[in-house]
C-alpha cells in the first residue's frame, strides 16, 4: 500500500511538471509555425493568395510526426490535392528557389538520396470547404535550421517527389 501511494504521488508530481514546464520538454512540438502564406507565384492570382497555414512537428523516440493545416483557400481549388513538403531553405515571398530542395534525411546523413515519404516530409492535402490538412510520419528528426513548408500546384509524384510549380510557403525555423 505504501509503495502504491508513493507511485501515485510520483505520477502526480510528474503531471504538474508537464503542465508548468511546457515547451522545454521533448513531448511538445519542436517546431511550430503559423501565419499568412507567402506568395511564390505573385505574377498570377491563385487559390493560396491570402490563405493561412499552421505547421507543427513533434518528435517521438527519434521519429517525427508533422501536421500541416491550411485555411482560407480559394474556391477554385475545392476538391483538388496539392503537394506540400518540408524544404531545406527558408520561405521568401516571390522567390521559390530560396526554399531549396526537399529536406531529405539521407542527404543530411551524407548518404545517396533516396526519395520517398520516409526520407522526406510530404504533407499533401486535399481542399474541402476551403481547408486542407496534411500529415506525415517519418523515421527521423529533421536537423534544426531556417526551413519552410512549400505548397505546390500538383500532388506529389511518389517516384520523383516532384509536385509542379511552387505556389506558396511558410517558414518553419527551430
Ligand atoms: Cu516541395
Amino acid at each position: 500500500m505504501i509503495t502504491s501511494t508513493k507511485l501515485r504521488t510520483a505520477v502526480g508530481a510528474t503531471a504538474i511538471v508537464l503542465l508548468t514546464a511546457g515547451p522545454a520538454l521533448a513531448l511538445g512540438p519542436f517546431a511550430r509555425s503559423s501565419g499568412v502564406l507567402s506568395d511564390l507565384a505573385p505574377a498570377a492570382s491563385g487559390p493560396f493568395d491570402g490563405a493561412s497555414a499552421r505547421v507543427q512537428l513533434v518528435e517521438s523516440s527519434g521519429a517525427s510526426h508533422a501536421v500541416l493545416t491550411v485555411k482560407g483557400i480559394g474556391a477554385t481549388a475545392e476538391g483538388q490535392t496539392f503537394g506540400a513538403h518540408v524544404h531545406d531553405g527558408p520561405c521568401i515571398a516571390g522567390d521559390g528557389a530560396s526554399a531549396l530542395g526537399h529536406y531529405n534525411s539521407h542527404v543530411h546523413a551524407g548518404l545517396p538520396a533516396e526519395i520517398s515519404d520516409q526520407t522526406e516530409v510530404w504533407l499533401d492535402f486535399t481542399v474541402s470547404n476551403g481547408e486542407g490538412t496534411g500529415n506525415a510520419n517519418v523515421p527521423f528528426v529533421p536537423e534544426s535550421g531556417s526551413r519552410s513548408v512549400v505548397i505546390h500546384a500538383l500532388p506529389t509524384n511518389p517516384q520523383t517527389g516532384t509536385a509542379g510549380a511552387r505556389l506558396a510557403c511558410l517558414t518553419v525555423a527551430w
Side-chain angles (χ1 to χ4, degrees), residues 99-125:
L100 304 176
H102 294 175
Y103 187 99
N104 185 294
S105 64
H106 281 201
V107 171
H108 277 265
L111 301 167
E114 178 190 302
I115 296 168
S116 78
D117 63 1
Q118 294 299 288
T119 59
E120 300 182 349
V121 184
W122 294 356
L123 294 162
D124 289 33
F125 59 90

Side-chain angles (χ1 to χ4, degrees), residues 45-63:
S45 65
F48 297 102
D49 294 352
S52 59
R54 187 177 84 114
V55 62
Q56 182 166 294
L57 285 88
V58 179
E59 177 185 355
S60 177
S61 303

Side-chain angles (χ1 to χ4, degrees), residues 83-87 99-103 120-122 148-152 156 161-166:
H85 322 109
V86 174
H87 280 239
L100 304 176
H102 294 175
Y103 187 99
E120 300 182 349
V121 184
W122 294 356
S148 55
V149 168
V150 174
I151 297 171
H152 295 257
T156 302
T162 56
R166 300 177 179 200

Side-chain angles (χ1 to χ4, degrees), residues 7 37 39-41 45 47 54 71 74 78 112 117-118 130-131 136 143 169 173:
L7 273 174
L37 288 166
D39 195 351
L40 295 179
S45 65
R54 187 177 84 114
K71 295 186 174 182
E78 192 67 15
D117 63 1
Q118 294 299 288
E131 299 185 9
E143 294 169 13
C169 63

